[in-house]
Amino acid sequence: MRIAVIARIFGILLTVFSLTLLPPIGVSLWYDDGTHSAFSAAFVITLVTGLFMWLPVHDLRQDLRTRDGFVVTSLFWLVLGSFGSLPLIISPQPDLSITDSIFESISGLTTTGATVITGLDSLPPAILYYRQQLQWFGGIGVIVIALAILPMLGIGGMQLYKAETPGPVKDTKLTPRIAETARALFVIYIILTVLCGVGYWWAGMTVFDAVGHAFSTVANGGFSTHDASMGFYANNHAIMTICIVFMFTAAINFGLHFFAFRNRTLSHYWKDSEFRFWVTLTIVAAVLISLYLWSQGIFGAGSSFLHGVFQVVSIGTTAGFASENFSAWPAFLPYVLLMLGILGACAGSTCGGIKAVRGMLIMKSGMRELNRLVHANAVVPIKVNGKIVPERVTDAVWGFFAVYILSFFVLTIIVMATGENFVTSFSTVASCLSNIGPALGDAAAHYGSVNEFAKWFLILAMLMGRLEIFTLLVLLTPAFWRH
């Protein structure tokens, strides 16, 4: 591991990140909300720190190796999330503690969407805008790392996409092709954001809300400028439909979007095994939940369909918007939604969770074992997109799943030990580890009532979930630090 190379990377990251504090300053001055001084101070601190790290090593011309890639990827959200909390710490509104500020910032950057803030409707516009912007930048970071870096690192089965990502990478170093990949993905990301924002504005949102919600929708983050989340617009079916469409689109592997963008075709989407698996699961869940809401008289037929489809897509894509207080729905429905969120959507998208491709491989592996019980000598290969999946990838997926479940149980017990009840502990850990956002129990409305000690473990859960767990845990192994 080369400290100078890593310092140069983070110097550049912090210097660039400091520039993202300029738009909120503009918003503050436009609305004259009095928060521009907090953002200005955060801008200076972040810029000076970035330049301090970058200038001594700016002439260094070395590629990142795999070992360095693990460190950079692991520290990416932690460092930016910590500096991103500065405006929230400095600003007198919303008057957050250091713990709550870091929690909110990392929740935004990891696109988790869990919030500790109440009274959103009365917050300064610049703070509201900044929260949405955090999610938008976090979303593109998720995509680039998921499609360009994790396959090279071989994280928990993501090497399955190594040959299929839009910018192929080598096994030993992060190459300039990643920069090309990032640029292409960024263009697609911006196009989706613009289309989403224009759609919201056309459907009736103010320009401010349209921009803010476009940021968090395409990032599948779930932050809103209203306490009622998308429920604020529940009577506007056009806005709800636009939200569903863009949450769904952003939850598809951006490698498929890149292929469609480059080759001007849509036929390849349905040929993708993971896409078919996830879409089928989403449709079945949406139909069943909608029918149950209607049959139990919770809503009328139309509202049951609207809220059923919206919440299945919202939680299933780990966006976490709420059209209704789904935690108050009949007992098993909130847990069904939570399970969908834990699985998540497609790899290489802005969603969190285990990812549909891993769920699909686990299911196929289980079916293969059932066949082997009947036909002991049968050779039953597992295929994805018509290609046989190497045993190494299947083993990595099972290993990831085992570590994910173990981490989930350990963190749940720790949060319970801090004094939270079982439902709150179980749901907050599940939500943060899968980057979903909404939870049940005492955190159903917001995380403000969760004790501060538990929040630090939930921050860890958010980072572990966004880093695909192995990326962070590998740093704790002695073998990683041996030369």
Side-chain angles (χ1 to χ4, degrees), residues 129-468:
Y129 171 83
Y130 179 64
R131 293 171 72 249
Q132 307 302 110
Q133 181 185 271
L134 276 176
Q135 294 214 308
W136 191 73
F137 282 114
I140 188 61
V142 168
I143 295 166
V144 171
I145 287 176
L147 275 178
I149 298 175
L150 292 185
M152 184 273 293
L153 299 181
I155 297 300
M158 288 300 98
Q159 61 266 47
L160 185 66
Y161 285 90
K162 187 183 297 180
E164 299 173 16
T165 52
V169 294
K170 298 179 182 178
D171 283 337
T172 56
K173 61 183 180 180
L174 307 186
T175 72
R177 289 297 298 276
I178 285 183
E180 297 172 24
T181 300
R183 281 194 294 271
L185 295 173
F186 196 42
V187 169
I188 297 169
Y189 192 69
I190 289 174
I191 290 172
L192 287 178
T193 305
V194 171
L195 291 175
C196 184
V198 170
Y200 279 146
W201 174 74
W202 169 83
M205 280 190 181
T206 63
V207 172
F208 182 83
D209 270 8
V211 171
H213 284 89
F215 282 172
S216 56
T217 301
V218 174
N220 270 324
F223 274 170
S224 175
T225 55
H226 303 287
D227 284 320
S229 189
M230 291 303 291
F232 187 85
Y233 296 101
N235 293 325
N236 189 321
H237 291 182
I239 287 177
M240 300 292 281
T241 302
I242 290 167
C243 188
I244 290 170
V245 168
F246 281 94
M247 286 190 296
F248 185 88
T249 304
I252 299 170
N253 188 325
F254 268 62
L256 298 179
H257 292 328
F258 177 87
F259 189 87
F261 183 73
R262 185 182 60 189
N263 297 296
R264 306 292 190 270
T265 179
L266 300 176
S267 61
H268 65 290
Y269 282 101
W270 194 246
K271 294 177 183 177
D272 184 74
S273 301
E274 181 189 31
F275 178 78
R276 290 199 307 271
F277 173 79
W278 174 63
V279 169
T280 303
L281 181 65
T282 300
I283 291 173
V284 170
V287 169
L288 292 178
I289 288 180
S290 298
L291 287 174
Y292 190 84
L293 289 172
W294 177 55
S295 68
Q296 296 299 305
I298 309 297
F299 304 108
S303 294
S304 293
F305 179 76
L306 175 67
H307 293 301
V309 172
F310 185 91
Q311 288 305 158
V312 165
V313 174
S314 177
I315 304 301
T317 60
T318 71
F321 286 118
S323 63
E324 261 285 326
N325 180 17
F326 67 87
S327 66
W329 287 359
F332 79 97
L333 289 186
Y335 290 96
V336 171
L337 291 171
L338 205 57
M339 293 303 111
L340 288 172
I342 289 172
L343 175 64
C346 301
S349 70
T350 57
C351 79
I354 292 173
K355 304 295 187 301
V357 66
R358 290 194 183 104
M360 179 180 69
L361 286 173
I362 288 170
M363 185 186 75
K364 289 187 176 216
S365 181
M367 294 300 296
R368 180 176 67 177
E369 294 310 308
L370 287 175
N371 284 329
R372 283 176 173 173
L373 288 176
V374 180
H375 307 287
N377 297 320
V379 177
V380 186
I382 295 175
K383 293 184 178 181
V384 172
N385 296 333
K387 299 176 183 176
I388 295 176
V389 178
E391 288 293 326
R392 172 71 186 88
V393 174
T394 309
D395 291 344
V397 168
W398 275 108
F400 174 89
F401 184 69
V403 173
Y404 186 97
I405 296 300
L406 181 62
S407 301
F408 172 74
F409 282 124
V410 170
L411 285 168
T412 299
I413 291 170
I414 290 173
V415 173
M416 286 179 67
T418 66
E420 301 297 333
N421 61 56
F422 174 74
V423 173
T424 302
S425 302
F426 174 89
S427 63
T428 53
V429 170
S431 186
C432 290
L433 193 59
S434 302
N435 304 119
I436 301 169
L440 308 175
D442 295 338
H446 57 83
Y447 284 64
S449 60
V450 176
N451 71 78
E452 291 216 344
F453 195 51
K455 283 173 185 168
W456 285 106
F457 286 100
L458 295 178
I459 288 171
L460 174 63
M462 286 189 270
L463 292 171
M464 288 176 69
R466 185 44 74 201
L467 290 166
E468 303 283 334

